Amino acid sequence: PPGSILNFCIADIHRNPNYFDEPDKYDPYRWLTDDKEKMEKMKKAYMPFGFGGPMCPGRVLSKSESLTMLVAVIKKFNVKVSS
């Protein structure tokens, strides 16, 4: 109805087997799939910093820190892309 407030729990979406195979298992390799449809479904369901207006204010800092760390690792080690 008009004026209604809709809330949903992001943790429940992240653990939903309709979006993620074995959602309670730590598997970073799930993001390396060649299945484009599966990847799009996962990307749409993955909201680590929330959604909309009340997004986590640390989102920008987290992304900056991740990029800074990646650059530091690449500078310190001899990183090569395997084929």
Side-chain angles (χ1 to χ4, degrees), residues 1-3 9 12 18 22 32 49 53 56 58 72 75:
C9 181
D12 288 340
N18 292 324
E22 298 183 78
L32 299 178
F49 298 103
C56 175
K75 285 173 121 179

Side-chain angles (χ1 to χ4, degrees), residues 11-42:
D12 288 340
I13 294 171
H14 289 172
R15 290 186 175 95
N16 187 329
N18 292 324
Y19 298 109
F20 304 100
D21 295 334
E22 298 183 78
D24 291 321
K25 177 183 175 189
Y26 176 73
D27 181 15
Y29 295 104
R30 75 177 79 230
W31 296 99
L32 299 178
T33 181
D34 289 328
D35 185 338
K36 292 186 187 312
E37 184 178 326
K38 183 178 182 179
M39 178 59 80
E40 281 304 310
K41 194 184 327 183
M42 289 192 308

Side-chain angles (χ1 to χ4, degrees), residues 46-64:
Y46 186 62
M47 297 173 270
F49 298 103
F51 182 78
M55 277 184 135
C56 175
R59 172 178 54 96
V60 176
L61 177 62
S62 173
K63 289 182 179 183
S64 296

